[in-house]
């Protein structure tokens, strides 16, 4: 091997993988990388990661930081969700006065500053759209996910006008739900960004919500960010199953299980689950 050839990489592998032509290890990592967003088979240059892998990591870290600190554009989100047809979107903020305080004081993000703008409806369901730890996720996925949920649930339940919550933690939804007078609250909230995904949205469902409910009283559906993550329609189908189950059981949380997949199988073609 001459000097010019030394260190060259095969064109069908990532630089730094150090894979020789015909080496089955290269195919192994390449196939796995196609099926996951995790950082695997990164290769090496000497004792370190290849430069491009280091730059990818720094870029992902910067994107995650931006997702946390990006302010939610409330007016634009309100227009998009009001177009769904649930009525005027009320606005609530937590007692965290700034993003910096929100990050330092999670307790303040669980308490409302004022609920005067929230109308009492007494509906079956209420939706709260919170910025959480990724306002980017709510901006990207909040409106289309809400549309899918309404399409799945509106034929069976009455739905209150939605509420947009800023500097919000999950438990803020309990206070808002009590003001709305709903039987079940469904909180759509930005999840903590990771180094693979910065715009993932989560759903937290609480039946008979009230201030003081614990995390064990809720059901969570996470990783909603199509096309790589859970899709809107699939998430809405799971929520519909949980709402129905919570109403039968009389509560949500650890005693309530997602049976949507087995229900879909048992209702199709006579197939039963043993």
């Amino acid at each position: 091997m001459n000097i010019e050839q030394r260190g060259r990489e095969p064109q069908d592998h990532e630089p730094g993988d150090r894979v020789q032509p015909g080496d089955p290890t290269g195919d192994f990592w390449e196939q796995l990388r196609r099926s996951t967003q995790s950082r695997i088979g990164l290769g090496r240059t000497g004792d370190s990661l290849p430069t491009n892998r280091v730059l990818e990591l720094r870029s992902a870290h910067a994107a995650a930081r931006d997702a946390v600190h990006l302010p939610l554009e409330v007016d634009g989100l309100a227009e998009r969700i009001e177009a769904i047809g649930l009525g005027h979107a009320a606005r609530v903020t937590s007692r965290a006065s700034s993003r910096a305080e929100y990050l330092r004081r999670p307790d303040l993000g669980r308490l409302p500053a004022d609920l005067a703008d929230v109308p009492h409806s007494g509906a079956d369901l209420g939706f709260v759209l919170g910025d959480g730890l990724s306002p980017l996720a709510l901006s990207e996925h909040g409106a289309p996910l809400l549309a899918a949920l309404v399409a799945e649930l509106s034929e069976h339940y009455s739905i209150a006008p939605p509420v947009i919550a800023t500097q919000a933690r999950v438990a803020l939804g309990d206070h808002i739900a009590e003001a709305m007078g709903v039987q079940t609250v469904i909180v759509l909230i930005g999840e903590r960004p990771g180094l693979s995904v910065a715009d993932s949205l989560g759903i937290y469902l609480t039946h008979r919500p009230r201030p003081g409910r614990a995390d064990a009283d809720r059901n969570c559906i996470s990783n909603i960010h199509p096309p790589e993550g859970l899709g809107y329609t699939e998430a809405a189908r799971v929520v519909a199953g949980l709402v129905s189950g919570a109403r039968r059981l009389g509560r949500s949380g650890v005693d309530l299980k997602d049976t949507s997949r087995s229900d879909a199988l048992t209702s199709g073609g006579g197939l039963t689950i043993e």
Side-chain angles (χ1 to χ4, degrees):
M1 179 183 293
N2 60 36
I3 295 177
E4 291 182 355
Q5 292 174 322
R6 186 177 301 138
R8 287 187 178 180
E9 306 296 334
Q11 295 301 310
D12 58 343
H13 294 288
E14 292 290 339
D17 284 348
R18 301 298 184 203
V19 177
Q20 299 300 322
D23 185 347
T25 305
D27 294 335
F28 172 79
W29 287 117
E30 186 175 356
Q31 292 174 15
L32 285 181
R33 277 196 292 266
R34 292 194 186 111
S35 62
T36 179
Q37 293 177 288
S38 300
R39 287 176 168 78
I40 58 174
L42 300 183
R44 65 182 182 181
T45 299
D47 294 330
S48 303
L49 289 173
T51 301
N52 65 319
R53 299 302 190 188
V54 175
L55 294 176
E56 288 172 1
L57 180 64
R58 291 181 178 177
S59 176
H61 187 257
R65 288 176 60 89
D66 286 347
V68 171
H69 292 282
L70 178 73
L72 179 66
E73 209 286 287
V74 178
D75 290 339
L77 177 63
E79 289 182 6
R80 295 195 298 274
I81 66 175
E82 286 173 8
I84 296 171
L86 294 179
H88 171 72
R91 305 182 187 189
V92 171
T93 187
S94 75
R95 294 185 188 176
S97 60
S98 66
R99 197 64 176 170
E101 186 174 49
Y102 169 81
L103 295 173
R104 291 195 309 268
R105 295 284 306 274
D107 57 315
L108 296 180
R110 302 183 184 107
L111 300 173
D114 188 1
L115 294 173
D117 192 36
V118 179
H120 187 281
S121 69
D124 295 327
L125 307 178
F127 290 103
V128 176
L129 293 90
D131 53 2
L133 286 167
S134 178
L136 174 66
L138 186 64
S139 179
E140 291 287 333
H141 305 296
L145 176 57
L146 179 62
L149 288 164
V150 171
E152 183 74 32
L153 297 166
S154 59
E155 292 185 10
H156 308 286
Y157 309 103
S158 58
I159 301 176
V163 175
I164 299 174
T166 53
Q167 311 294 16
R169 301 281 178 171
V170 173
L172 182 61
D174 295 333
H175 297 268
I176 297 172
E178 186 177 53
M180 299 166 82
V182 297
Q183 293 185 32
T184 305
V185 66
I186 300 169
V187 178
L188 285 61
I189 193 165
E191 296 183 309
R192 184 186 306 275
L195 294 178
S196 296
V197 179
D199 64 340
S200 182
L201 203 63
I203 296 176
Y204 289 82
L205 181 148
T206 310
H207 189 60
R208 296 179 179 172
R210 64 176 183 271
R213 284 292 195 190
D215 289 341
D217 299 319
R218 316 184 200 284
N219 293 87
C220 175
I221 305 162
S222 63
N223 202 38
I224 304 168
H225 58 98
E228 293 87 1
L230 187 65
Y232 308 134
T233 301
E234 173 70 8
R237 185 176 63 81
V238 175
V239 169
L242 290 174
V243 170
S244 176
R247 292 171 70 89
R248 291 195 305 267
L249 189 64
R251 59 187 179 276
S252 55
V254 295
D255 293 327
L256 177 62
K257 308 301 180 185
D258 171 26
T259 61
S260 57
R261 291 174 177 81
S262 59
D263 288 347
L265 289 173
T266 56
S267 63
L271 179 65
T272 59
I273 303 299
E274 295 297 334

